[in-house]
Amino acid sequence: MTAHTVSPDALAQPAPTQYADSTPGTTSARLLALLQDGQARHRLIEHAPEGRTDVVSALRGNALEQAAKCIVVRVKVTKKSSRYALAVVPGDRRVDLARLKELYDARHVSFADQATAERLSHCVSGSIVPFSFDPELELIVDPGLLEHQEIFFNAAELDLSLALHTEDYQRLAAPQVTPIAEPLTGTAS
């Protein structure tokens, strides 16, 4: 595992390291550019490929409650219209679908199918970032995740993660913050 720290002072310097898939136009490259342009305090962490929140948190060495678990949900507002949200909760919790249904005054809320989640997030399943780069995907974050100085998440790749200062995350992602998490009842993440 390798960690790279980037401070605002270092952003004026050219980046010495080419990161995993930083091909122009990829979600990873777009995210890293956003963080650099926004002078965000962050660290890159390379690790074995993994998308399960509990397992990747152990690889990164972060507490599970600091991990941003990112789930794309389908919100059926009327019989004929749906919208999508990126629900972000602490890694030790799960998305409360009943709360989202109430929040949107929706008929039904469910997890989006994998193809839709990957299309809207521009990430493969297991590496979805807590940022929305698609106007069809509204970003909603549970306040429990924001209680920590840093949050951790895969950086649109299964073998690369970010540790990002929470203040910088809120400033750059500008999420809607509302309680949308509930305790885990099983062991699956």
Side-chain angles (χ1 to χ4, degrees), residues 53-54 57 62-69 89-95 142 144-145 147-148 181-186 188-189:
T53 306
D54 56 343
S57 290
N62 63 272
L64 195 52
E65 61 267 14
Q66 288 181 275
K69 187 185 295 185
V89 299
D92 64 341
R93 308 205 22 110
R94 68 179 184 184
V95 175
D142 186 83
L145 180 65
E147 295 173 354
H148 309 281
E182 63 183 0
L184 289 174
T185 55
S189 294

Side-chain angles (χ1 to χ4, degrees), residues 73-91:
V73 294
R74 179 181 181 208
V75 179
K76 190 139 179 84
V77 182
T78 67
K79 227 177 192 182
K80 296 185 179 189
S81 73
S82 293
R83 57 197 288 192
Y84 292 91
L86 176 56
V88 182
V89 299

Side-chain angles (χ1 to χ4, degrees), residues 35-162:
L35 297 180
Q36 288 181 347
D37 292 347
Q39 299 185 349
R41 294 160 291 176
H42 64 283
R43 294 178 287 126
L44 287 166
I45 304 165
E46 296 172 341
H47 51 75
E50 184 55 61
R52 293 170 293 175
T53 306
D54 56 343
V55 178
V56 75
S57 290
L59 291 172
R60 293 185 298 233
N62 63 272
L64 195 52
E65 61 267 14
Q66 288 181 275
K69 187 185 295 185
C70 305
I71 308 290
V72 177
V73 294
R74 179 181 181 208
V75 179
K76 190 139 179 84
V77 182
T78 67
K79 227 177 192 182
K80 296 185 179 189
S81 73
S82 293
R83 57 197 288 192
Y84 292 91
L86 176 56
V88 182
V89 299
D92 64 341
R93 308 205 22 110
R94 68 179 184 184
V95 175
D96 184 344
L97 296 177
R99 174 69 180 115
L100 286 171
K101 181 179 177 186
E102 177 185 309
L103 183 68
Y104 282 100
D105 194 25
R107 295 173 60 90
H108 182 72
V109 176
S110 61
F111 298 118
D113 63 83
Q114 184 174 344
T116 300
E118 291 180 354
R119 176 179 57 82
L120 292 172
S121 69
H122 308 279
C123 300
V124 297
S125 186
S127 71
I128 296 175
V129 299
F131 288 81
S132 178
F133 296 113
D134 192 301
E136 293 183 50
L137 191 61
E138 182 179 345
L139 178 60
I140 304 173
V141 177
D142 186 83
L145 180 65
L146 307 176
E147 295 173 354
H148 309 281
Q149 183 178 0
E150 281 185 315
I151 62 171
F152 293 79
F153 53 93
N154 279 26
E157 300 185 32
L158 293 172
D159 61 354
L160 184 67
S161 288
L162 276 160

Side-chain angles (χ1 to χ4, degrees), residues 22-34:
S22 58
T23 307
T26 65
T27 302
S28 182
R30 188 171 183 181
L31 176 61
L32 292 173
L34 174 67

